[in-house]
Structures are given as structure tokens and as C-alpha cells.
Amino acid sequence: DQQVKQNSPSLSVQEGRISILNCDYTNSMFDYFLWYKKYPAEGPTFLISISSIKDKNEDGRFTVFLNKSAKHLSLHIVPSQPGDSAVYFCAADTDKLIFGTGTRLQVFP
Amino acid sequence: KAGVTQTPRYLIKTRGQQVTLSCSPISGHRSVSWYQQTPGQGLQFLFEYFSETQRNKGNFPGRFSGRQFSNSRSEMNVSTLELGDSALYLCASSFQGSASQETQYFGPGTRLLVL
């Protein structure tokens, strides 16, 4: 049973526009979340995290929003760049990382 | 500082064989976690080792095992390989482990193909 879900397997966005990647979770006890980016033939790279005491965390072009009542988080990338094309995983950090299945983002010129 | 390294990068085995994968964490990191990535399943947690002790284990059969050495290097072993074990195996290291809400740093992975 997937405790962390990324329902969009892929997303295509034009360069310069906003990319919004979504993630839902089922366990209301989860209180810390991370986003990782993965290029082919490389391991996942940490991008940004958020604790449940906050509803937003920003780092440059990347912003993560957390809606605890909806058990939903989203990653916004503004503006999107071709180098952002990768697979993005959200994860809940409990006593281990519980990952979603990933969303493949393609940013085209 | 060198990142997490994994060897070998690619491996081909046949059903019934066993395989050992190796992971060297970032210097100073004491926690090593292993994950399996398959298409459509995302990354699934296998186990975590901290100071040579298995601290946490995921829902994988006993054919999957691991260990950690005093220098924090870790190995995982899969015995009696099945076709479904074909996957990318990733290890991640951190100083204290995921329970501390500390960033885990991943290696490039070992891609295992079972024929």
C-alpha cells in the first residue's frame, strides 16, 4: 500500500514557465518531507525539505508547499529550465525514507 | 569530500545465483541505508545499518541481507536470485540516519540484471 503517492508519472513544461509537482500521503503522523531529483545513471540528489511546523519552504527557484489537512505537498519550480528535466521523488522521513513513485519532468525550449 | 560510492555499477547474474553489492559512505557518516528501485515502484527501503548494527528493516524476504563494517562500509547480499530482483540498488549515507531528519546522500547505484 503506497503511503506516499505521486499520481502524475510525467509532466511536460515549457522553459520559463512554472512546474508544479504534486505528492499525497496517507499517514497524518508524517511530519518531515523531502524532494529528491534523479538524473539517469545517477543516484537521487536532495533538493529541498519541509517540516510540518511550516507550510512553505523556499530555496531559490524551488518552493515546497505543505497542506497538512489535505495531506498534500507540492514542489514549484519557477522559472523552469531545461536542466531541471529529471525524475522527481517526494519522500516522507520517518524512521526511514518512504518514497513516492516519481514524476518525470521534461522542460522543453 | 568524496561522495557515496557503489561497486559494481552494473551486474548480470542468472536465476539462483547470489550477489554481493558494496557501498562506501561519505567519510564520517555512520549510517548506511539501502533501497531498491524498480519501474513503477519508486524506491523501496531495504534496511539501514548504523555502527555495524541493523537498525531498521523493510518488507523484503530474508534472501536480502546486509552488513556493515567498522569503517562504515556496507555490503548487501541477495541469495537465490529471482527475475524480479532485477533493479537499481541504491545506498545512502548520513551521519546519524534518517530518524534524525538528516539529509541522506545517495550513491549512483548498482544496476542488477537477473536472467
Side-chain angles (χ1 to χ4, degrees):
Chain A
D1 187 30
Q2 281 288 128
Q3 297 187 71
V4 177
K5 301 176 187 179
Q6 293 177 257
N7 293 318
S8 298
S10 64
L11 177 67
S12 189
V13 171
Q14 188 172 32
E15 181 178 5
R17 302 281 197 143
I18 183 172
S19 296
I20 301 176
L21 295 95
N22 295 303
C23 180
D24 297 294
Y25 59 97
T26 58
N27 191 332
S28 58
M29 298 298 291
F30 291 166
D31 64 359
Y32 192 72
F33 303 89
L34 306 93
W35 284 91
Y36 280 85
K37 177 169 74 172
K38 186 179 185 301
Y39 293 118
E42 295 182 15
T45 303
F46 169 74
L47 204 53
I48 193 169
S49 62
I50 188 165
S51 166
S52 61
I53 61 173
K54 302 170 95 171
D55 53 16
K56 175 183 172 182
N57 189 25
E58 205 168 343
D59 184 2
R61 297 185 298 114
F62 302 91
T63 303
V64 56
F65 295 91
L66 176 61
N67 182 332
K68 290 182 286 295
S69 60
K71 296 201 276 294
H72 176 84
L73 62 155
S74 61
L75 174 68
H76 292 210
I77 307 174
V78 184
S80 300
Q81 300 173 354
D84 297 328
S85 298
V87 178
Y88 290 78
F89 292 95
C90 67
D93 192 346
T94 61
D95 58 350
K96 56 184 178 287
L97 290 177
I98 302 174
F99 283 91
T101 51
T103 296
R104 182 177 301 276
L105 173 66
Q106 184 178 8
V107 180
F108 60 93
Chain B
K1 211 181 225 185
V4 179
T5 58
Q6 292 186 245
T7 56
R9 292 293 311 276
Y10 304 92
L11 207 47
I12 300 175
K13 292 286 188 179
T14 56
R15 278 180 300 175
Q17 287 187 308
Q18 75 165 25
V19 67
T20 299
L21 312 181
S22 180
C23 173
S24 292
I26 291 171
S27 177
H29 284 187
R30 296 183 295 169
S31 168
V32 174
S33 296
W34 289 88
Y35 294 84
Q36 181 196 63
Q37 184 187 8
T38 53
Q41 291 294 317
L43 286 82
Q44 295 186 293
F45 174 76
L46 280 155
F47 28 65
E48 179 196 6
Y49 284 86
F50 183 83
S51 293
E52 302 179 64
T53 301
Q54 187 180 87
R55 188 157 70 173
N56 200 355
K57 190 177 190 306
N59 296 323
F60 279 82
R63 299 186 297 107
F64 292 80
S65 63
R67 60 178 175 167
Q68 187 178 34
F69 302 94
S70 58
N71 61 357
S72 293
R73 189 178 70 86
S74 177
E75 289 181 347
M76 68 163 280
N77 183 277
V78 187
S79 62
T80 320
L81 283 165
E82 300 177 359
L83 295 179
D85 297 333
S86 295
L88 180 67
Y89 290 89
L90 293 154
C91 80
S93 80
S94 62
F95 185 67
Q96 293 188 53
S98 66
S100 63
Q101 294 185 348
E102 182 186 23
T103 300
Q104 293 191 40
Y105 295 90
F106 282 83
T110 294
R111 185 163 294 282
L112 172 64
L113 176 62
V114 182
L115 301 175

